[in-house]
Amino acid sequence: MAISQILWVCAVNSFTKLGQDGFHGTLNYKTNHFGLQEFSLNVNGSLGHDWFYSGNIYQDFDPGTFKLRSSANQDRTQIYKAALTKRYAGTKGELKV
């Protein structure tokens, strides 16, 4: 009797865009005919006195190509990130929290 296994390898990419001068935002949305909905949002900007902020949201709701009895989605990923950056004058560097 042979036992076979299927290994699914998935990677989520959630690069953080750190703050920059002014206000910036990026919104991405993806869907397909199987019901996949993927959403990512980044907002970032400056707070003054060399302080910058960044906020990121990534959500993925994927029901897959066939119905599972145990779950409505084969993949449900949610990532939330926030960052504060202090940039120092000249080439002294920066501090990211």
Coordinates of all heavy atoms in Angstrom, one line a residue:
M1 N 0.8 -1.2 0.0 CA 0.0 0.0 0.0 C 0.9 1.2 0.0 O 1.7 1.4 0.9 CB -0.9 0.0 1.2 CG -1.9 1.1 1.3 SD -3.1 0.7 2.6 CE -3.2 2.2 3.3
A2 N 0.7 2.1 -1.0 CA 1.5 3.3 -1.1 C 0.8 4.5 -0.5 O -0.4 4.7 -0.6 CB 1.8 3.6 -2.6
I3 N 1.6 5.2 0.3 CA 1.0 6.4 0.9 C 1.7 7.6 0.1 O 2.9 7.7 0.0 CB 1.4 6.5 2.4 CG1 0.7 5.3 3.1 CG2 0.9 7.8 2.9 CD1 1.1 5.3 4.5
S4 N 0.8 8.5 -0.4 CA 1.4 9.7 -1.1 C 1.0 10.9 -0.3 O -0.1 11.0 0.3 CB 0.9 9.7 -2.5 OG -0.6 9.8 -2.5
Q5 N 1.8 11.9 -0.4 CA 1.6 13.1 0.3 C 1.8 14.3 -0.7 O 2.7 14.2 -1.6 CB 2.5 13.4 1.5 CG 2.3 12.4 2.6 CD 3.2 12.7 3.7 OE1 4.3 13.4 3.5 NE2 2.9 12.3 4.9
I6 N 1.0 15.3 -0.6 CA 1.1 16.5 -1.4 C 1.6 17.6 -0.5 O 1.0 17.8 0.5 CB -0.2 16.8 -2.1 CG1 -0.6 15.7 -3.1 CG2 0.0 18.1 -2.9 CD1 -2.0 15.9 -3.7
L7 N 2.7 18.2 -0.9 CA 3.3 19.2 -0.1 C 3.1 20.6 -0.8 O 3.5 20.7 -1.9 CB 4.8 19.0 0.2 CG 5.5 20.1 0.9 CD1 5.0 20.2 2.3 CD2 7.0 19.8 0.9
W8 N 2.3 21.5 -0.1 CA 2.1 22.8 -0.7 C 3.1 23.8 0.0 O 3.1 23.9 1.2 CB 0.7 23.2 -0.4 CG -0.3 22.5 -1.2 CD1 -1.0 21.3 -0.8 CD2 -0.8 22.7 -2.5 NE1 -1.8 20.9 -1.8 CE2 -1.7 21.7 -2.8 CE3 -0.5 23.7 -3.5 CZ2 -2.4 21.7 -4.0 CZ3 -1.2 23.6 -4.7 CH2 -2.1 22.6 -4.9
V9 N 3.8 24.5 -0.8 CA 4.7 25.5 -0.3 C 4.2 26.8 -0.8 O 4.1 27.1 -1.9 CB 6.1 25.2 -0.8 CG1 7.1 26.3 -0.3 CG2 6.6 23.8 -0.4
C10 N 3.9 27.7 0.2 CA 3.4 29.0 -0.1 C 4.3 30.1 0.5 O 4.8 29.9 1.6 CB 2.0 29.2 0.4 SG 0.8 28.1 -0.4
A11 N 4.5 31.2 -0.1 CA 5.2 32.3 0.4 C 4.4 33.6 0.3 O 3.8 33.8 -0.7 CB 6.5 32.5 -0.4
V12 N 4.5 34.3 1.4 CA 3.8 35.6 1.4 C 4.8 36.7 1.4 O 5.8 36.6 2.2 CB 2.9 35.7 2.7 CG1 2.3 37.1 2.8 CG2 1.8 34.7 2.6
N13 N 4.7 37.6 0.5 CA 5.7 38.7 0.4 C 5.0 39.9 1.0 O 4.0 40.4 0.5 CB 6.0 38.9 -1.1 CG 7.3 39.4 -1.3 OD1 8.0 39.9 -0.4 ND2 7.7 39.5 -2.6
S14 N 5.7 40.5 2.0 CA 5.1 41.7 2.6 C 6.2 42.7 2.9 O 6.5 43.1 4.0 CB 4.4 41.3 3.9 OG 5.3 40.8 4.8
F15 N 6.8 43.2 1.8 CA 7.8 44.2 2.0 C 7.2 45.4 2.6 O 6.2 45.9 2.2 CB 8.5 44.5 0.6 CG 9.3 43.4 0.1 CD1 8.8 42.6 -1.0 CD2 10.5 43.1 0.6 CE1 9.6 41.6 -1.5 CE2 11.3 42.0 0.1 CZ 10.8 41.3 -1.0
T16 N 8.0 46.1 3.5 CA 7.5 47.3 4.1 C 8.1 48.5 3.4 O 9.3 48.6 3.2 CB 8.0 47.3 5.6 OG1 7.4 46.2 6.2 CG2 7.5 48.6 6.2
K17 N 7.3 49.4 3.0 CA 7.8 50.7 2.4 C 7.9 51.6 3.6 O 6.9 52.0 4.2 CB 6.8 51.2 1.4 CG 6.7 50.4 0.1 CD 5.8 51.0 -0.9 CE 5.8 50.2 -2.2 NZ 4.9 50.8 -3.2
L18 N 9.1 52.0 3.9 CA 9.3 52.9 5.0 C 8.9 54.3 4.6 O 8.8 54.7 3.4 CB 10.8 52.9 5.5 CG 11.2 51.5 6.0 CD1 12.7 51.5 6.4 CD2 10.4 51.2 7.2
G19 N 8.7 55.2 5.6 CA 8.3 56.5 5.4 C 9.2 57.4 4.5 O 10.4 57.1 4.5
Q20 N 8.6 58.3 3.8 CA 9.4 59.2 3.0 C 8.7 60.6 3.1 O 7.6 60.7 3.6 CB 9.5 58.7 1.6 CG 8.1 58.3 1.0 CD 8.3 57.6 -0.3 OE1 9.1 58.0 -1.1 NE2 7.5 56.5 -0.5
D21 N 9.3 61.6 2.5 CA 8.8 63.0 2.6 C 7.4 63.0 1.9 O 7.2 62.4 0.8 CB 9.7 64.0 1.9 CG 11.0 64.3 2.8 OD1 10.8 64.3 4.0 OD2 12.0 64.5 2.2
G22 N 6.5 63.8 2.5 CA 5.1 63.9 1.9 C 4.3 62.7 2.3 O 4.7 61.9 3.1
F23 N 3.1 62.6 1.7 CA 2.2 61.5 1.9 C 2.2 60.6 0.7 O 2.1 61.1 -0.4 CB 0.8 62.0 2.2 CG -0.2 60.9 2.4 CD1 -0.3 60.1 3.5 CD2 -1.0 60.5 1.3 CE1 -1.2 59.1 3.7 CE2 -2.0 59.5 1.4 CZ -2.0 58.8 2.6
H24 N 2.3 59.3 0.9 CA 2.3 58.3 -0.2 C 1.4 57.1 0.2 O 1.4 56.7 1.4 CB 3.7 57.8 -0.5 CG 4.6 58.9 -0.9 ND1 4.7 59.4 -2.1 CD2 5.5 59.6 -0.1 CE1 5.6 60.3 -2.2 NE2 6.1 60.5 -0.9
G25 N 0.8 56.5 -0.8 CA -0.1 55.4 -0.5 C -0.1 54.5 -1.8 O 0.0 54.9 -2.9
T26 N -0.2 53.2 -1.5 CA -0.3 52.2 -2.6 C -1.4 51.2 -2.2 O -1.4 50.7 -1.1 CB 1.0 51.4 -2.7 OG1 2.1 52.3 -3.0 CG2 1.0 50.4 -3.9
L27 N -2.3 50.9 -3.1 CA -3.4 50.0 -2.9 C -3.3 49.0 -4.1 O -3.3 49.4 -5.2 CB -4.7 50.7 -2.9 CG -6.0 49.8 -2.9 CD1 -6.0 49.1 -1.6 CD2 -7.2 50.7 -3.1
N28 N -3.3 47.7 -3.7 CA -3.4 46.6 -4.7 C -4.5 45.7 -4.4 O -4.8 45.4 -3.2 CB -2.1 45.8 -4.7 CG -0.9 46.6 -5.2 OD1 -0.9 47.1 -6.3 ND2 0.1 46.7 -4.3
Y29 N -5.2 45.2 -5.4 CA -6.3 44.3 -5.3 C -6.3 43.3 -6.4 O -6.1 43.6 -7.5 CB -7.7 45.0 -5.3 CG -8.9 44.1 -5.1 CD1 -9.2 43.6 -3.9 CD2 -9.6 43.7 -6.2 CE1 -10.3 42.8 -3.7 CE2 -10.7 42.9 -6.1 CZ -11.0 42.4 -4.8 OH -12.1 41.5 -4.7
K30 N -6.5 42.0 -6.0 CA -6.4 41.0 -7.0 C -7.5 40.0 -6.8 O -7.8 39.7 -5.6 CB -5.1 40.2 -7.0 CG -4.9 39.1 -8.0 CD -3.5 38.6 -8.0 CE -3.2 37.6 -6.9 NZ -1.9 37.0 -7.0
T31 N -8.2 39.5 -7.8 CA -9.2 38.5 -7.7 C -9.1 37.5 -8.9 O -8.5 37.8 -9.8 CB -10.6 39.2 -7.6 OG1 -11.6 38.2 -7.3 CG2 -10.9 39.9 -8.9
N32 N -9.8 36.4 -8.7 CA -9.9 35.4 -9.9 C -11.3 34.8 -9.9 O -12.1 35.1 -9.0 CB -8.8 34.4 -9.9 CG -8.9 33.4 -8.7 OD1 -9.9 33.3 -8.1 ND2 -7.8 32.7 -8.5
H33 N -11.6 34.0 -10.9 CA -12.9 33.4 -11.0 C -13.2 32.3 -10.0 O -14.3 31.8 -10.0 CB -13.1 32.9 -12.5 CG -12.2 31.8 -12.9 ND1 -10.9 31.9 -13.2 CD2 -12.4 30.4 -13.0 CE1 -10.3 30.8 -13.4 NE2 -11.2 29.9 -13.3
F34 N -12.2 31.9 -9.2 CA -12.5 30.9 -8.2 C -12.9 31.5 -6.9 O -13.2 30.9 -5.9 CB -11.2 30.0 -7.9 CG -10.9 29.1 -9.1 CD1 -9.7 29.3 -9.8 CD2 -11.7 28.1 -9.4 CE1 -9.3 28.5 -10.8 CE2 -11.3 27.2 -10.5 CZ -10.2 27.5 -11.2
G35 N -12.8 32.9 -6.8 CA -13.2 33.6 -5.6 C -12.1 34.2 -4.8 O -12.3 34.7 -3.7
L36 N -10.9 34.0 -5.2 CA -9.7 34.6 -4.6 C -9.9 36.1 -4.4 O -10.3 36.8 -5.4 CB -8.4 34.3 -5.3 CG -7.2 35.2 -4.9 CD1 -6.6 34.6 -3.7 CD2 -6.2 35.2 -6.0
Q37 N -9.6 36.7 -3.3 CA -9.5 38.1 -3.1 C -8.2 38.4 -2.3 O -8.0 37.9 -1.2 CB -10.7 38.6 -2.3 CG -12.0 38.5 -3.1 CD -13.1 39.2 -2.4 OE1 -13.0 40.4 -2.1 NE2 -14.2 38.5 -2.1
E38 N -7.4 39.2 -2.9 CA -6.1 39.6 -2.3 C -6.0 41.1 -2.3 O -6.2 41.7 -3.3 CB -4.9 39.0 -3.1 CG -3.6 39.2 -2.4 CD -2.5 38.5 -3.2 OE1 -2.4 37.3 -3.2 OE2 -1.8 39.3 -3.9
F39 N -5.7 41.6 -1.1 CA -5.7 43.1 -0.9 C -4.5 43.5 -0.1 O -4.1 42.9 0.8 CB -7.0 43.4 -0.1 CG -7.0 44.7 0.5 CD1 -7.4 45.8 -0.2 CD2 -6.7 44.9 1.9 CE1 -7.5 47.1 0.4 CE2 -6.8 46.1 2.5 CZ -7.2 47.2 1.7
S40 N -3.8 44.6 -0.6 CA -2.7 45.1 0.2 C -2.7 46.6 0.1 O -3.1 47.2 -0.9 CB -1.3 44.6 -0.3 OG -1.1 45.1 -1.6
L41 N -2.4 47.3 1.2 CA -2.4 48.7 1.3 C -1.2 49.2 2.1 O -0.9 48.6 3.2 CB -3.7 49.1 2.1 CG -3.8 50.6 2.4 CD1 -4.0 51.5 1.2 CD2 -5.0 50.8 3.4
N42 N -0.6 50.2 1.7 CA 0.5 50.9 2.4 C 0.3 52.4 2.4 O 0.0 52.9 1.3 CB 1.9 50.6 1.7 CG 3.0 51.4 2.3 OD1 3.2 52.5 1.9 ND2 3.6 50.9 3.4
V43 N 0.4 53.0 3.5 CA 0.4 54.4 3.6 C 1.7 54.8 4.4 O 2.0 54.2 5.4 CB -0.9 55.0 4.3 CG1 -2.1 54.8 3.4 CG2 -1.1 54.4 5.7
N44 N 2.3 55.9 3.9 CA 3.5 56.3 4.6 C 3.8 57.8 4.4 O 3.2 58.4 3.4 CB 4.7 55.5 4.2 CG 5.1 55.7 2.8 OD1 5.7 56.7 2.4 ND2 4.8 54.7 1.9
G45 N 4.6 58.4 5.2 CA 4.8 59.8 5.1 C 5.7 60.4 6.2 O 6.3 59.6 7.0
S46 N 5.8 61.7 6.3 CA 6.7 62.3 7.3 C 5.8 62.9 8.4 O 4.7 63.4 8.2 CB 7.5 63.4 6.6 OG 6.7 64.3 6.0
L47 N 6.4 62.9 9.6 CA 5.8 63.5 10.8 C 6.4 64.8 11.2 O 5.9 65.5 12.0 CB 5.8 62.5 11.9 CG 5.1 61.2 11.8 CD1 5.4 60.3 12.9 CD2 3.6 61.5 11.7
G48 N 7.6 65.1 10.5 CA 8.3 66.3 10.9 C 9.5 66.0 11.7 O 9.6 65.0 12.4
H49 N 10.5 66.9 11.7 CA 11.8 66.7 12.5 C 12.4 65.4 12.2 O 12.9 64.7 13.2 CB 11.5 66.9 14.0 CG 10.9 68.3 14.3 ND1 11.6 69.4 14.2 CD2 9.6 68.6 14.7 CE1 10.8 70.4 14.5 NE2 9.6 70.0 14.9
D50 N 12.5 65.0 11.0 CA 13.1 63.7 10.5 C 12.5 62.4 11.1 O 13.1 61.4 11.2 CB 14.6 63.7 10.9 CG 15.4 64.8 10.1 OD1 15.0 65.0 8.9 OD2 16.3 65.4 10.6
W51 N 11.2 62.5 11.4 CA 10.4 61.3 11.8 C 9.5 60.9 10.7 O 8.9 61.8 10.1 CB 9.6 61.6 13.1 CG 10.4 61.6 14.4 CD1 11.0 62.6 15.0 CD2 10.7 60.4 15.1 NE1 11.6 62.2 16.1 CE2 11.5 60.9 16.2 CE3 10.4 59.1 15.0 CZ2 12.0 60.0 17.2 CZ3 10.9 58.2 16.0 CH2 11.7 58.7 17.1
F52 N 9.4 59.6 10.5 CA 8.5 59.1 9.4 C 7.7 57.9 9.9 O 8.1 57.2 10.8 CB 9.4 58.7 8.2 CG 10.3 59.8 7.7 CD1 11.5 60.0 8.2 CD2 9.8 60.6 6.6 CE1 12.3 61.0 7.7 CE2 10.6 61.6 6.1 CZ 11.9 61.8 6.7
Y53 N 6.6 57.7 9.2 CA 5.7 56.6 9.6 C 5.4 55.7 8.4 O 5.5 56.2 7.3 CB 4.4 57.1 10.2 CG 3.5 57.8 9.2 CD1 2.5 57.1 8.5 CD2 3.7 59.2 9.0 CE1 1.7 57.8 7.6 CE2 2.9 59.8 8.0 CZ 1.9 59.1 7.3 OH 1.2 59.8 6.4
S54 N 4.9 54.5 8.7 CA 4.5 53.6 7.6 C 3.5 52.6 8.2 O 3.7 52.1 9.3 CB 5.7 52.8 7.0 OG 5.2 51.9 6.1
G55 N 2.4 52.4 7.5 CA 1.4 51.4 7.9 C 1.1 50.4 6.8 O 0.9 50.9 5.6
N56 N 1.1 49.1 7.0 CA 0.8 48.1 6.0 C -0.2 47.1 6.3 O -0.3 46.7 7.5 CB 2.1 47.3 5.7 CG 3.3 48.2 5.2 OD1 3.3 48.6 4.1 ND2 4.1 48.6 6.1
I57 N -1.1 46.8 5.4 CA -2.1 45.7 5.6 C -2.0 44.8 4.4 O -2.0 45.3 3.2 CB -3.5 46.3 5.7 CG1 -3.6 47.2 6.9 CG2 -4.5 45.2 5.7 CD1 -5.0 48.0 6.9
Y58 N -2.0 43.5 4.6 CA -2.1 42.5 3.6 C -3.1 41.5 4.0 O -3.1 40.9 5.1 CB -0.7 41.8 3.4 CG -0.8 40.6 2.4 CD1 -0.7 40.9 1.0 CD2 -1.0 39.4 2.8 CE1 -0.8 39.8 0.1 CE2 -1.1 38.3 1.9 CZ -1.0 38.5 0.6 OH -1.1 37.5 -0.3
Q59 N -4.1 41.2 3.1 CA -5.1 40.2 3.4 C -5.3 39.3 2.2 O -5.3 39.8 1.1 CB -6.4 40.8 3.8 CG -6.3 41.5 5.1 CD -7.7 42.0 5.6 OE1 -8.7 42.1 4.8 NE2 -7.8 42.4 6.9
D60 N -5.4 38.0 2.4 CA -5.6 37.1 1.3 C -6.7 36.1 1.7 O -6.6 35.4 2.8 CB -4.3 36.3 1.1 CG -4.5 35.2 0.0 OD1 -5.2 35.5 -1.0 OD2 -3.9 34.2 0.2
F61 N -7.8 36.0 1.0 CA -8.9 35.1 1.2 C -9.0 34.2 0.0 O -9.5 34.7 -1.1 CB -10.2 35.8 1.5 CG -10.1 36.7 2.7 CD1 -9.8 38.1 2.6 CD2 -10.3 36.2 4.0 CE1 -9.7 38.9 3.7 CE2 -10.2 37.0 5.1 CZ -9.9 38.4 4.9
D62 N -8.7 33.0 0.0 CA -8.7 32.1 -1.2 C -9.4 30.8 -0.9 O -9.0 29.9 -0.2 CB -7.2 31.7 -1.5 CG -7.1 31.0 -2.8 OD1 -8.1 30.8 -3.5 OD2 -6.0 30.6 -3.1
P63 N -10.6 30.7 -1.5 CA -11.4 29.5 -1.3 C -10.8 28.3 -2.1 O -11.2 27.1 -1.9 CB -12.8 29.8 -1.8 CG -12.6 30.9 -2.8 CD -11.4 31.7 -2.3
G64 N -9.9 28.5 -3.0 CA -9.3 27.5 -3.8 C -10.2 27.0 -5.0 O -11.2 27.6 -5.3
T65 N -9.7 26.0 -5.6 CA -10.4 25.5 -6.8 C -11.4 24.4 -6.5 O -12.2 24.0 -7.3 CB -9.4 24.9 -7.8 OG1 -8.6 23.9 -7.1 CG2 -8.4 26.0 -8.3
F66 N -11.5 23.9 -5.2 CA -12.5 22.9 -4.8 C -12.9 23.2 -3.4 O -12.2 23.8 -2.6 CB -12.0 21.5 -5.0 CG -10.7 21.2 -4.3 CD1 -10.7 20.7 -3.0 CD2 -9.5 21.4 -4.9 CE1 -9.5 20.4 -2.3 CE2 -8.3 21.1 -4.2 CZ -8.3 20.7 -2.9
K67 N -14.1 22.7 -3.0 CA -14.6 22.9 -1.7 C -14.0 22.0 -0.6 O -13.9 20.8 -0.9 CB -16.1 22.8 -1.7 CG -16.9 23.7 -2.6 CD -16.8 25.1 -2.0 CE -17.6 26.1 -2.9 NZ -17.4 27.5 -2.5
L68 N -13.6 22.6 0.5 CA -13.2 21.8 1.6 C -14.3 21.7 2.6 O -15.0 22.7 2.9 CB -12.0 22.5 2.3 CG -10.7 22.6 1.5 CD1 -9.6 23.4 2.3 CD2 -10.2 21.2 1.1
R69 N -14.4 20.6 3.3 CA -15.5 20.4 4.3 C -15.1 21.1 5.6 O -16.0 21.6 6.3 CB -15.7 18.9 4.6 CG -16.3 18.2 3.4 CD -16.5 16.7 3.8 NE -17.0 16.0 2.7 CZ -17.2 14.7 2.7 NH1 -17.0 14.0 3.8 NH2 -17.6 14.1 1.6
S70 N -13.8 21.2 5.8 CA -13.4 21.8 7.1 C -13.2 23.3 7.2 O -13.2 23.9 8.2 CB -12.0 21.1 7.5 OG -11.1 21.5 6.5
S71 N -13.2 23.9 6.0 CA -13.0 25.4 6.0 C -13.5 26.0 4.7 O -13.6 25.4 3.7 CB -11.5 25.7 6.1 OG -11.2 27.0 6.0
A72 N -13.9 27.3 4.9 CA -14.4 28.0 3.7 C -13.3 28.4 2.8 O -13.5 28.6 1.6 CB -15.3 29.2 4.1
N73 N -12.1 28.6 3.4 CA -11.0 29.1 2.6 C -9.8 28.1 2.7 O -9.5 27.6 3.8 CB -10.5 30.4 3.1 CG -11.5 31.5 2.8 OD1 -11.9 31.7 1.7 ND2 -11.9 32.3 3.9
Q74 N -9.1 27.8 1.6 CA -7.9 27.0 1.6 C -6.8 27.9 2.2 O -5.8 27.3 2.8 CB -7.6 26.5 0.2 CG -8.5 25.4 -0.2 CD -8.1 24.9 -1.6 OE1 -7.0 25.1 -2.0 NE2 -9.0 24.2 -2.2
D75 N -6.8 29.2 2.0 CA -5.8 30.1 2.5 C -6.4 31.3 3.0 O -7.2 31.9 2.3 CB -4.8 30.4 1.4 CG -3.7 31.3 1.8 OD1 -3.4 31.4 3.1 OD2 -3.1 32.0 1.0
R76 N -6.1 31.7 4.2 CA -6.6 33.0 4.7 C -5.4 33.6 5.5 O -5.1 33.1 6.6 CB -7.8 32.8 5.7 CG -8.3 34.1 6.2 CD -9.6 34.0 7.0 NE -10.0 35.3 7.5 CZ -11.1 35.5 8.1 NH1 -11.9 34.5 8.3 NH2 -11.3 36.7 8.5
T77 N -4.8 34.6 4.9 CA -3.6 35.2 5.5 C -3.9 36.7 5.8 O -4.5 37.4 5.0 CB -2.4 35.2 4.5 OG1 -2.2 33.8 4.2 CG2 -1.2 35.8 5.1
Q78 N -3.5 37.2 7.0 CA -3.7 38.5 7.3 C -2.4 39.0 8.0 O -2.0 38.4 9.0 CB -4.9 38.7 8.3 CG -6.2 38.3 7.7 CD -7.4 38.6 8.6 OE1 -7.5 39.6 9.2 NE2 -8.2 37.5 8.8
I79 N -1.8 40.1 7.5 CA -0.6 40.6 8.1 C -0.8 42.1 8.2 O -1.3 42.8 7.3 CB 0.6 40.4 7.1 CG1 0.8 38.9 6.9 CG2 1.9 41.1 7.7 CD1 1.9 38.6 5.8
Y80 N -0.5 42.6 9.4 CA -0.6 44.0 9.8 C 0.7 44.5 10.3 O 1.3 43.9 11.2 CB -1.7 44.3 10.8 CG -3.0 43.7 10.4 CD1 -3.4 42.5 10.8 CD2 -3.9 44.5 9.6 CE1 -4.7 41.9 10.4 CE2 -5.1 44.0 9.2 CZ -5.5 42.7 9.6 OH -6.7 42.2 9.2
K81 N 1.2 45.6 9.8 CA 2.5 46.1 10.3 C 2.5 47.7 10.4 O 1.8 48.3 9.6 CB 3.7 45.8 9.3 CG 4.0 44.3 9.2 CD 5.3 44.1 8.5 CE 5.1 44.0 7.0 NZ 6.4 43.7 6.4
A82 N 3.2 48.2 11.3 CA 3.4 49.6 11.5 C 4.9 49.9 11.8 O 5.5 49.1 12.4 CB 2.5 50.1 12.6
A83 N 5.4 51.0 11.3 CA 6.8 51.3 11.5 C 6.9 52.8 11.8 O 6.3 53.7 11.2 CB 7.6 50.9 10.3
L84 N 7.9 53.2 12.6 CA 8.3 54.5 12.9 C 9.8 54.6 12.6 O 10.6 53.7 12.9 CB 8.1 55.0 14.3 CG 6.7 55.4 14.7 CD1 6.7 55.7 16.2 CD2 6.2 56.6 13.9
T85 N 10.3 55.6 11.9 CA 11.7 55.7 11.5 C 12.1 57.1 11.9 O 11.5 58.1 11.6 CB 11.9 55.5 10.0 OG1 11.3 54.3 9.6 CG2 13.3 55.6 9.6
K86 N 13.3 57.2 12.5 CA 14.0 58.4 12.8 C 15.3 58.5 12.0 O 16.1 57.6 12.1 CB 14.3 58.5 14.3 CG 15.2 59.7 14.7 CD 14.6 61.0 14.5 CE 15.6 62.1 15.1 NZ 15.2 63.4 14.7
R87 N 15.4 59.5 11.1 CA 16.6 59.6 10.3 C 17.5 60.7 10.9 O 17.0 61.8 11.3 CB 16.2 60.0 8.9 CG 15.5 58.9 8.2 CD 15.6 58.9 6.7 NE 14.9 57.8 6.2 CZ 13.7 57.8 5.6 NH1 13.0 59.0 5.5 NH2 13.1 56.7 5.2
Y88 N 18.7 60.4 11.1 CA 19.7 61.3 11.7 C 20.4 62.1 10.6 O 20.7 61.6 9.5 CB 20.7 60.6 12.6 CG 19.9 60.0 13.8 CD1 19.5 58.7 13.7 CD2 19.6 60.8 14.9 CE1 18.8 58.1 14.8 CE2 18.9 60.2 15.9 CZ 18.5 58.9 15.9 OH 17.8 58.4 16.9
A89 N 20.8 63.3 10.9 CA 21.5 64.2 9.9 C 22.8 63.6 9.4 O 23.5 62.8 10.1 CB 21.8 65.6 10.5
G90 N 23.1 63.9 8.1 CA 24.3 63.4 7.5 C 24.3 61.9 7.2 O 23.2 61.4 6.8
T91 N 25.3 61.3 7.5 CA 25.4 59.8 7.3 C 25.4 59.0 8.6 O 26.0 58.0 8.7 CB 26.7 59.5 6.5 OG1 27.8 59.9 7.3 CG2 26.7 60.1 5.2
K92 N 24.7 59.6 9.6 CA 24.7 59.0 11.0 C 23.7 57.8 11.0 O 23.7 57.0 11.9 CB 24.3 60.0 12.0 CG 25.4 61.0 12.2 CD 25.0 62.0 13.3 CE 26.1 63.1 13.5 NZ 25.7 64.0 14.5
G93 N 22.9 57.6 10.0 CA 22.0 56.5 9.9 C 20.6 56.8 10.3 O 20.1 57.9 10.3
E94 N 19.8 55.7 10.7 CA 18.4 55.8 11.0 C 18.1 54.7 12.0 O 18.7 53.7 12.1 CB 17.6 55.8 9.8 CG 17.7 54.5 9.0 CD 16.9 54.6 7.7 OE1 16.6 55.7 7.2 OE2 16.6 53.5 7.1
L95 N 17.0 55.0 12.8 CA 16.5 54.1 13.8 C 15.1 53.7 13.3 O 14.3 54.6 13.1 CB 16.4 54.7 15.1 CG 15.8 53.9 16.2 CD1 16.6 52.7 16.6 CD2 15.6 54.8 17.5
K96 N 14.8 52.4 13.2 CA 13.5 51.9 12.8 C 12.9 51.1 13.9 O 13.5 50.2 14.5 CB 13.6 51.0 11.5 CG 14.3 51.7 10.4 CD 14.5 50.7 9.3 CE 15.5 51.4 8.3 NZ 16.2 50.4 7.5
V97 N 11.6 51.4 14.2 CA 10.9 50.7 15.3 C 9.6 50.1 14.7 O 8.9 50.8 13.9 CB 10.6 51.6 16.5 CG1 9.8 50.8 17.5 CG2 11.8 52.2 17.0

